[in-house]
Amino acid sequence: MIQSSARLAALPGYPLAELPAIKRKLIAAGRDVIDLGAGDNDTPPPRVAIEALKAAIENPANSKYGFQQGNPEFRRAASDYVFRRFGHRFDATTELVPLIGSKEGLAHMPFAFLNPGDVAIVPEPGYQAYLGGTVLAGVEPYVAALRPERGFLVDLEGIPAPVLQKTRMLFLNYPNNPTAAVAPLEYLEKVVAICRKHGIVLAYDNAYCDIVFDGYRAPSIFEVAGADEVAVEFFSLSKSFSMTGWRIGFAVGRSPLIGPLTQVKTYTDTGPFLAVQQAGAAVLDRAEELTAPICAEIARRRDAAVPALRAAGFGVDLPKAAMYLWVALPPGVSSKAFSRHALEAEGVLVLPGSAFGPAGEGFFRIALTVPPARLIEAVARLSKALVGVQAAGGVGAA
Ligand code: PLP
């Protein structure tokens, strides 16, 4: 019998697999389902992206392989965006690489830098591509729990010395998915100091840097002095411009760090579709103007959902960034049982905290992907779901 690899078997089930299948069945049965699962906004992509893609697709040269160099316009626009946003200039040719979505680049990082016996620190709850890339590369993950009492910041000082000695990579993501936490610059300074001391590559995932509220500004890791020596920073056009399915992002870092990632990619892919890169350049050149209405809309949704959740007895912070609410469940209520009941009984899809790893237990995640009125309706249903699941014993496998 053919068997899948031991590395694949070592991975937990992907969080977005089971609930959407139930959702499809409910919709087929005529039920109204409010989907707050995937971080995939309902807002359309910018007109400028669509027009640029249409024009680019008419040019047969854009139907060729892009290879890793890709479209020079995209590289130029990405480098300019980082410079405008954060004041750091990365050479468009040697210090930047286009990605088929930032997930692809993040998952390839361990292949570029790590060897068997090395350790990669993976935050939990967290975006599953970090664990996936680490385990598939045959590298040992060290799961670092994000705790509410520490502001969901990875406690690097709490990592045992023997683990730190073997650690060669740290994944970090602020503004954070799923907790929506943000990291103060002083914290990032400590992180960079530890990475430099121990020779750890810092894979800094800044997918949500443009989704910010109330005047908050998400920093680049390169605002910390010395980060150049250790960091690769990942940007995504998915959330900033509602372009999740277009599969376009990029990474920046000094060439000794970008080079190995690019080399891995030459063996596994041939770069994003050139016409999509052209559209990416068009939106990056107008990023500030295009992201402002998306932020304003997500803030409106946040401001509708947070008071409603609190009134319904759920514990939730008012996030400064990202597009999620990380909502605490009453003690003893299993997040998996709650999410399943919320979907099956009330037609609301939220992700259980445990889907982001065991340390996510006790919470569920709401993605602010539908308008305020729909969110208010969803919260009313979630409130009923909580009563229902508690009446049933609040139980179920965690
Ligand atoms: N990083 C984080 C933290 C995410 O939540 C996501 C998507 O949900 C990504 C990266 C991947 O984004 P992309 O669409 O660019 O692959």
Side-chain angles (χ1 to χ4, degrees):
M1 234 243 304
I2 303 286
Q3 293 211 324
S4 59
S5 71
R7 288 176 188 185
L8 199 57
L11 287 169
Y14 200 77
L16 288 178
E18 187 192 25
L19 293 172
I22 301 175
K23 171 192 158 181
R24 280 192 294 276
K25 277 194 209 144
L26 291 175
I27 289 178
R31 291 273 300 281
D32 171 44
V33 176
I34 306 177
D35 187 346
L36 310 176
D40 203 347
N41 218 343
D42 67 342
T43 47
R47 201 64 231 162
V48 60
I50 294 170
E51 296 304 333
L53 180 69
K54 276 190 193 164
I57 219 163
E58 292 291 348
N59 178 356
N62 283 327
S63 283
K64 303 294 180 196
Y65 285 124
F67 298 108
Q68 301 310 327
Q69 271 306 309
N71 180 331
E73 263 300 281
F74 179 75
R75 285 179 170 264
R76 193 263 324 138
S79 171
D80 284 355
Y81 159 86
V82 172
F83 182 66
R84 276 197 325 274
R85 263 302 250 103
F86 306 108
H88 278 251
R89 178 58 81 182
F90 290 88
D91 181 80
T93 309
T94 58
E95 298 182 324
L96 192 149
V97 65
L99 300 171
I100 309 172
S102 61
K103 181 179 194 176
E104 173 263 298
L106 286 159
H108 277 140
M109 280 295 277
F111 292 88
F113 292 100
L114 303 187
N115 295 303
D118 292 342
V119 167
I121 297 176
V122 173
E124 182 186 296
Y127 187 53
Q128 292 294 65
Y130 317 141
L131 183 71
T134 299
V135 172
L136 291 174
V139 171
E140 193 188 328
Y142 178 85
V143 172
L146 304 184
R147 304 271 179 225
E149 59 275 16
R150 289 191 50 86
F152 299 109
L153 299 173
V154 173
D155 177 14
L156 287 176
E157 276 127 15
I159 291 176
V163 174
L164 213 51
Q165 293 310 329
K166 289 202 286 177
T167 298
R168 291 288 162 265
M169 183 164 290
L170 164 64
F171 288 96
L172 218 57
N173 162 230
Y174 297 102
N176 183 255
N177 172 19
T179 67
V182 297
L185 212 51
E186 310 81 71
Y187 170 78
L188 297 178
E189 281 164 3
K190 277 195 214 155
V191 168
V192 167
I194 290 175
C195 288
R196 290 174 73 192
K197 181 170 168 203
H198 294 276
I200 297 171
V201 175
L202 174 55
Y204 194 77
D205 179 359
N206 217 343
Y208 296 94
C209 65
D210 282 324
I211 310 291
V212 288
F213 322 119
D214 309 332
Y216 174 73
R217 188 187 152 280
S220 158
I221 194 65
F222 294 107
E223 288 171 46
V224 175
D228 292 48
E229 288 172 26
V230 288
V232 177
E233 186 158 28
F234 292 83
F235 296 96
S236 169
L237 279 66
S238 292
K239 320 289 173 169
S240 308
F241 306 107
S242 308
M243 289 168 66
T244 49
W246 296 49
R247 310 313 303 134
I248 182 83
F250 63 96
V252 297
R254 296 305 169 209
S255 57
L257 286 145
I258 284 296
L261 176 60
T262 308
Q263 247 179 307
V264 170
K265 284 171 57 55
T266 57
Y267 286 92
T268 56
D269 68 68
T270 317
F273 180 20
L274 289 169
V276 167
Q277 293 192 46
Q278 192 64 40
V283 294
L284 286 170
D285 278 341
R286 293 172 56 182
E288 294 78 357
E289 164 204 341
L290 295 172
T291 53
I294 293 179
C295 294
E297 176 56 19
I298 297 177
R300 263 197 299 280
R301 295 172 181 189
R302 174 200 68 164
D303 293 343
V306 166
L309 282 161
R310 288 178 178 164
F314 291 103
V316 59
D317 288 337
L318 192 75
K320 290 195 181 92
M323 54 197 295
Y324 306 109
L325 301 179
W326 187 239
V327 188
L329 283 162
V333 177
S334 141
S335 65
K336 191 171 179 184
F338 173 74
S339 300
R340 214 184 155 112
H341 185 74
L343 182 56
E344 287 176 339
E346 301 297 338
V348 180
L349 198 167
V350 295
L351 294 185
S354 61
F356 297 90
E361 187 50 48
F363 291 84
F364 66 94
R365 192 191 80 175
I366 286 179
L368 296 167
T369 50
V370 301
R374 230 18 207 155
L375 279 167
I376 302 273
E377 164 68 19
V379 173
R381 295 193 203 175
L382 290 171
S383 169
K384 279 204 251 165
L386 183 59
V387 173
V389 82
Q390 282 178 315
V395 289

